[in-house]
Amino acid sequence: MSNLERKLEEIELKIMRLVEQNVHYQTICEDMLKSNRALENENETLKKALKGKAELIGNLQHNSQQLKFAYQEESEEIKKRIDQYIQDIDTSIEWLKKL
């Protein structure tokens, strides 16, 4: 074999290795792209779930605030009624003292 043929074979071997590496890198890139797409889909799903949870928390906070206001109003009403009962009792006691 001549020196030129040997060099040609070496070049062909290098080209074959490069082609094999290229195929391997393409496979890796395709796998990474699939993984990236799957992660993006999962991320989108999680974002939607998080948005739903945030809305639920907002609703719960609003409901909690409404319950707090209702409790305060009811508590004030009960205090007024108790004060009225006490006043009625005091009035009755005063009336009985006059008898």
Side-chain angles (χ1 to χ4, degrees), residues 1 26 30 49-50 83 98:
M1 241 200 256
Q26 281 180 336
E30 288 171 0
L50 184 60
D83 288 342
K98 290 180 182 180

Side-chain angles (χ1 to χ4, degrees), residues 37-53:
R37 287 183 181 148
L39 288 171
E40 286 175 350
N41 289 338
E42 183 180 359
N43 191 26
E44 189 62 33
T45 301
L46 290 172
K47 280 182 182 179
K48 288 178 183 176
L50 184 60
K51 182 179 179 184
K53 298 291 182 189

Side-chain angles (χ1 to χ4, degrees), residues 3-15:
N3 196 18
L4 185 61
E5 288 176 340
R6 209 172 345 114
K7 294 262 185 194
L8 198 61
E9 284 181 10
E10 288 175 7
I11 291 172
E12 285 177 355
L13 284 173
K14 286 181 182 180
I15 290 174

